[in-house]
Amino acid sequence: MRNKEKHVLVIFPHPDDESFGASGTISKFRSEGIPVTYLCGTLGEMGRNMGSPVFANRETLYTFRKKELQEASRKLDINVELLGYRDKTLEFEPLEELASHLKARILAWGGTTIITHYPGYGVHPDHDALGRAVVKAVEMIEPEARPEIWMHAISNDTEDQLGKPDFIFDVTPYWDKKEAAIRSHLSQADGMMKLIETQDKDSEHVQRLKMERFYRWTFTT
Ligand SMILES: [Zn+2]
């Protein structure tokens, strides 16, 4: 592995997907000196949560979420690039156009490993649509130059359908960083933080956050 040239790209649609889904793994990469860049699809401006107590409204939510993402990325020591799509609309973007845009950004950053959502197992249409577009984007790159894709699957039937993940990281050593990153997303994270605080450290929910799992994508073309 040409470790010196490694660059991990995290490609998810919403500010906070990176913190909930992959911030332990991101912290592990950063501790190894590997650069990580988050290509964030939207600003999550259609999110249902407006803070608790409420501090945002439909018109102002994106400004808060943008700041929260900057705060989380500072804590995780990663770059952020905003891809500029609208929340809850990714499934309606033409796949070819979305994939071409992603391909250009993947090549521009020199991504060698990509973390995204497993299409069909993302439990949100934006997650599935962006994951699908990432696969398409990487398929557009000649096979010898393709980065690996690590898929984050969320739905409960994941292991029944796909078997055991290829990578299972116990991110307990990076838990402080993960918790701090989640906390940065103040408008969204309140429910989750309460859950973490009130639940037993060994509860299934907390354990799920502490074990980050990914499937390596197998290309068929
Ligand atoms: Zn999301």
Side-chain angles (χ1 to χ4, degrees):
M1 183 57 72
R2 297 169 303 161
N3 217 28
K4 250 195 301 190
E5 296 162 41
K6 227 177 154 178
H7 193 148
V8 176
L9 302 180
V10 177
I11 309 181
F12 288 140
H14 309 120
D16 79 4
D17 289 334
E18 82 299 339
S19 292
F20 285 113
S23 57
T25 304
I26 289 170
S27 301
K28 180 178 177 296
F29 280 126
R30 291 301 300 121
S31 75
E32 294 162 4
I34 295 166
V36 178
T37 299
Y38 182 27
L39 304 185
C40 185
T42 80
L43 283 173
E45 63 271 22
M46 297 304 286
R48 265 172 299 179
N49 297 326
M50 300 284 174
S52 171
V54 171
F55 57 78
N57 61 45
R58 180 60 62 225
E59 278 68 46
T60 62
L61 183 60
Y62 79 94
T63 62
F64 288 103
R65 297 202 70 176
K66 200 169 169 179
K67 276 194 219 126
E68 290 165 2
L69 178 58
Q70 283 161 356
E71 178 67 14
S73 62
R74 199 180 57 74
K75 286 182 179 155
L76 293 171
D77 190 25
I78 61 174
N79 312 300
V80 172
E81 178 176 305
L82 301 172
L83 295 176
Y85 293 94
R86 280 194 66 77
D87 192 16
K88 295 199 172 160
T89 68
L90 282 169
E91 63 186 308
F92 308 113
E93 291 289 333
L95 180 61
E96 294 278 339
E97 283 174 34
L98 185 51
S100 295
H101 181 197
L102 290 173
K103 179 194 167 191
R105 302 317 303 148
I106 291 165
L107 293 176
W109 284 105
T112 53
T113 303
I114 298 174
I115 295 176
T116 192
H117 287 111
Y118 204 125
Y121 296 88
V123 304
H124 186 300
D126 279 346
H127 295 179
D128 289 336
L130 198 57
R132 199 167 292 122
V134 166
V135 171
K136 183 96 185 151
V138 176
E139 281 175 351
M140 290 169 162
I141 300 169
E142 55 272 35
E144 56 280 6
R146 286 176 184 168
E148 282 196 349
I149 310 178
W150 293 10
M151 296 291 190
H152 173 46
I154 302 174
S155 64
N156 288 331
D157 64 343
T158 299
E159 289 208 7
D160 293 338
Q161 301 294 328
L162 302 172
K164 291 273 174 230
D166 297 293
F167 305 99
I168 303 177
F169 297 122
D170 176 357
V171 301
T172 307
Y174 309 102
W175 181 247
D176 288 353
K177 282 209 177 279
K178 179 160 186 166
E179 206 179 319
I182 291 173
R183 268 183 209 281
S184 305
H185 295 284
L186 206 59
S187 67
Q188 307 301 306
D190 192 64
M192 182 62 80
M193 291 322 301
K194 278 212 178 75
L195 207 123
I196 290 171
E197 281 156 13
T198 54
Q199 286 206 354
D200 195 279
K201 284 200 189 334
D202 299 321
S203 75
E204 199 189 321
H205 212 99
V206 175
Q207 283 309 309
R208 227 180 129 113
L209 280 173
K210 287 190 175 175
M211 300 298 272
E212 292 182 358
R213 301 148 190 271
F214 303 96
Y215 292 86
R216 188 196 276 122
W217 186 259
T218 308
F219 294 97
T220 51
T221 56

